[in-house]
Amino acid sequence: VVAYATAEVRPQVDGIVRKVAFREAGTVEAGDVLYELDDRKFQAAVAAAEAALKKAEAATAAAKITFDRTETLAATNAVSAQTLDDARSSLLQAEAEEEAAKAELETARINLDNTVIRAPIDGIIGVSAVSVGALVTANQTSALATIRQIDPVHVDLVDSSANLLRIRDEVEAGRLGRERGVAPSVTLTLENGRTYARKGEMKLAEMVVSETSGTFSLRATFSNPDRVLLPGMFVRAEVDLGSMPNAFLVPQRAVQRSASGDATLYVASEDETARLRTITTSGALGNDWIVIDGVADGDRLVVDGFQKISDGAAIRPVEATIGEDGVVRQTISSAGYGEGAPER
């Protein structure tokens, strides 16, 4: 689980902490005051910058009057062109100094504003690293506090590149499909085994595969108003990739592996013999394999007694059910096969 946004709060000016204005581990909103620094020297800097600006404005006004007078005299050839050029240069220089003074005043005001440190984002703020009276410096490496936005919250998932290729093959073959424009939904299982109540939505997939692990990353986003999901928590996710209308859910206990690694199962034929089949699986769902080839509607699958049968062996099949826990339940009579015997 990863915070939707994380902001480390740092000072932008030097100063002594005068006030800590938030409750640790509480909720803050963007713009809330977090810290107040001693601002006396910054107020003095603003006053000095304002005075410097007034001085520059006065110099600009004087230079403008001198230039206008010289320009009038130059029109009657009472002064030289050089004198007019000097007056114009003095005016331009005074105007530039006035603009510089305005910039200095703006900088002083920004520094004064920065003595009040505000929350940049909404979220949950952590523990304060400083207390009243502490000296902080501009752009220091250690954060004063950290704000994390956890509603909504991100969940970063990891899957193998081999699985990605398998899914693409299923889509291209037409065996797996979903409605266009609808993002895959994600269901989470928490560390205590409980299913998270809200479903998430897949937002992005990183277009790079790790050279060391052969995996790639996915990111899903979940609503988290109750703050059940916390940054750093590990969860397990199930992603709804679409539907496979021509697939079967086959109990895992009915499937075995041959010496070559192929998935196989036994089917009870109409002539009461066991027939071995090779099947093709496409992942699992709960206690079932998703089988896309090798079984058909109406097939009776053998789920128990494999040590007593082989391909072509005569059998007397008994109907059975498998619970969610994977346990086989069937009814067998003491006289043969039928009803009335206790379950096992």
Side-chain angles (χ1 to χ4, degrees), residues 298-338:
D299 283 346
R300 297 181 295 170
L301 308 182
V302 179
V303 297
D304 202 1
F306 301 109
Q307 68 275 16
K308 300 179 181 179
I309 63 174
S310 60
D311 188 22
I315 59 174
R316 297 181 65 183
V318 177
E319 185 176 350
T321 59
I322 299 179
E324 293 183 358
D325 53 3
V327 177
V328 176
R329 293 178 174 83
Q330 58 190 20
T331 302
I332 303 176
S333 66
S334 58
Y337 296 95

Side-chain angles (χ1 to χ4, degrees), residues 44-254:
V46 169
E50 289 175 343
L53 176 58
K54 290 180 180 179
K55 182 178 178 181
E57 290 173 344
T60 300
K64 183 67 169 62
I65 292 171
T66 301
F67 173 73
D68 291 342
R69 184 185 303 113
T70 304
E71 188 176 35
T72 301
L73 294 174
T76 60
N77 295 321
V79 296
S80 65
Q82 179 64 45
T83 302
L84 178 61
D85 290 341
D86 291 343
R88 181 181 291 107
S89 178
S90 297
L91 175 60
L92 293 175
Q93 184 176 353
E95 290 176 342
E97 291 177 351
E98 181 181 345
E99 292 299 321
K102 289 180 180 179
E104 291 291 338
L105 176 59
E106 183 63 23
T107 300
R109 286 173 174 168
I110 291 174
N111 288 334
L112 179 60
D113 289 341
N114 285 337
T115 60
V116 177
I117 302 174
R118 301 179 182 274
I121 61 173
D122 301 341
I124 308 299
I125 193 167
V127 177
S128 176
V130 298
S131 58
V132 174
L135 172 65
V136 297
T137 58
N139 303 316
Q140 62 186 42
T141 56
S142 59
L144 302 181
T146 301
I147 302 172
R148 294 178 177 87
Q149 187 174 347
I150 59 174
D151 184 24
V153 70
H154 290 315
V155 174
D156 287 346
L157 315 175
V158 178
D159 199 2
S160 68
S161 57
N163 197 37
L164 173 64
L165 295 175
R166 179 186 63 81
I167 293 170
R168 285 186 171 179
D169 290 342
E170 298 290 348
V171 173
E172 292 175 358
R175 292 189 293 265
L176 175 64
R178 66 179 304 107
E179 186 179 348
R180 287 184 175 273
V182 178
S185 63
V186 185
T187 303
L188 292 184
T189 301
L190 304 178
E191 293 173 305
N192 60 0
R194 181 168 61 89
T195 300
Y196 184 60
R198 293 174 173 81
K199 289 189 176 183
E201 184 176 290
M202 192 66 66
K203 289 296 184 181
L204 60 90
E206 191 173 12
M207 292 293 101
V208 62
V209 176
S210 170
E211 297 179 1
T212 56
S213 61
T215 60
F216 69 102
S217 298
L218 306 165
R219 171 164 284 185
T221 302
F222 287 80
S223 175
N224 190 34
D226 299 326
R227 304 178 190 173
V228 174
L229 301 176
L230 300 177
M233 184 181 289
F234 284 89
V235 293
R236 182 175 296 277
E238 292 183 0
V239 182
D240 181 5
L241 297 173
S243 59
M244 302 180 73
N246 298 318
F248 293 86
L249 292 177
V250 174
Q252 290 187 1
R253 64 177 300 131

